[in-house]
Amino acid sequence: MGSQHLPTLTPKLLRLYSEAALRNADELLSEALLLLDHRHLARAYFLSVASIEEAGKALLAFDAQNRNLSDPAVCARLTKSMENHGEKINYALSMWAFNSPDQRKALKMAANVISAVKRGREPSMYSDLRAAPDRVQTPREVVRDIAAKNCVGLAESCLVYAHRHVNEKIPTTFTTAQDRLFTMKSSKFRELLNTEDFWWYYISRLEGGQNDLSEAVLRYEQDHIKTGRQFSSGD
């Protein structure tokens, strides 16, 4: 992907894309292991990060098969997610962590490494100029032995989960509200979450047995943001 002339997203195309991404993730991990065995630490690190990204892409494509693909906003947001390095890494690691047998341990590990993996991606492949002091930095000096081994191991764990997910799960069926939340700008969503009135509204829905956050966001947007009428603020 990455071209302005994109194919029309369909469930079949997303399934094929998911399968291709998983195959590529397998190959990247095999190459990372080979490089690690021969002490090419920086390249082993980079390819293991790439494998994690491809696993994330495979999961994103697989899980999106039942989204409303006739909605251009949904397709644009999905395409952006499948092209963004950080989002693919986030999705692969979070899905692995949330579905690990020891969820607490996995979530703690994901929280500790997710930023490091993103930061280490570029330095593990490219030479660069640094300041304070002014110097040249090479990938060889950046990636330590333990970092390379840990990243390859993490890629293995993510890939094992990704294969299990696509083999055992059925793609989620999304509601209109869930697709709306998916396409909402992150800045707008953060603004909503910082609005006290919304939380009183959401609490009232919870008390009525309605705990779907996506539906609450959609309804609040329709009934209060667009009308300019606040929900009762804790009265």
Side-chain angles (χ1 to χ4, degrees):
M1 298 177 76
S3 168
Q4 293 183 350
H5 304 288
L6 295 172
T8 301
L9 295 183
T10 63
K12 180 180 178 181
L13 188 62
L14 287 173
R15 177 177 56 79
L16 293 173
Y17 197 31
S18 176
E19 292 170 356
L22 264 186
R23 287 194 300 272
N24 195 38
D26 285 332
E27 293 172 5
L28 287 164
L29 180 58
S30 295
E31 291 158 11
L33 286 165
L34 188 64
L35 289 168
L36 186 65
D37 287 342
H38 287 81
R39 306 292 299 163
H40 295 291
L41 302 180
R43 301 301 182 264
Y45 186 99
F46 183 85
L47 290 187
S48 60
V49 174
S51 178
I52 292 171
E53 287 189 43
E54 283 290 85
K57 180 193 293 179
L59 290 168
L60 280 164
F62 178 85
D63 289 342
Q65 290 177 75
N66 286 332
R67 284 199 179 276
N68 180 13
L69 300 175
S70 63
D71 184 342
V74 169
C75 293
R77 183 67 186 85
L78 179 58
T79 299
K80 182 180 178 181
S81 295
M82 294 189 296
E83 291 178 346
N84 184 277
H85 298 301
E87 289 196 37
K88 289 182 287 188
I89 291 170
N90 285 345
Y91 202 69
L93 289 175
S94 61
M95 290 290 286
W96 162 73
F98 277 116
N99 292 277
S100 293
D102 189 342
Q103 189 181 87
R104 186 176 183 278
K105 180 180 178 181
L107 285 170
K108 185 177 180 180
M109 181 179 179
N112 286 335
V113 304
I114 197 163
S115 295
V117 168
K118 290 179 186 177
R119 288 196 307 270
R121 181 185 182 278
E122 297 284 317
S124 68
M125 177 56 73
Y126 305 107
S127 56
D128 203 357
L129 290 174
R130 296 292 181 182
D134 295 347
R135 67 192 190 281
V136 175
Q137 176 180 280
T138 64
R140 181 183 294 274
E141 67 191 84
V142 171
V143 180
R144 296 175 299 149
D145 183 280
I146 189 64
K149 289 179 179 177
N150 286 345
C151 196
V152 170
L154 189 59
E156 287 181 301
S157 297
C158 286
L159 197 48
V160 167
Y161 171 73
H163 276 288
R164 188 169 71 246
H165 184 89
V166 301
N167 288 331
E168 298 177 1
K169 303 288 185 181
I170 297 173
T172 304
T173 297
F174 293 93
T175 65
T176 300
Q178 288 169 332
D179 275 334
R180 173 70 188 93
L181 186 59
F182 179 64
T183 60
M184 181 179 285
K185 289 184 178 179
S186 57
S187 58
K188 186 175 182 180
F189 185 49
R190 286 195 300 270
E191 181 182 351
L192 183 64
L193 294 184
N194 287 325
T195 302
E196 182 182 355
D197 189 62
F198 168 75
W199 288 110
W200 287 118
Y201 175 78
Y202 186 47
I203 289 168
S204 75
R205 290 179 63 88
L206 288 175
E207 290 171 344
Q210 300 170 301
N211 60 1
D212 189 324
L213 177 63
S214 300
E215 187 68 25
V217 169
L218 180 66
R219 296 302 173 195
Y220 186 82
E221 188 179 43
Q222 291 177 344
D223 298 341
H224 299 284
I225 293 179
K226 290 183 178 178
T227 63
R229 188 176 67 249
Q230 278 205 330
F231 181 77
S232 176
S233 298
D235 296 335

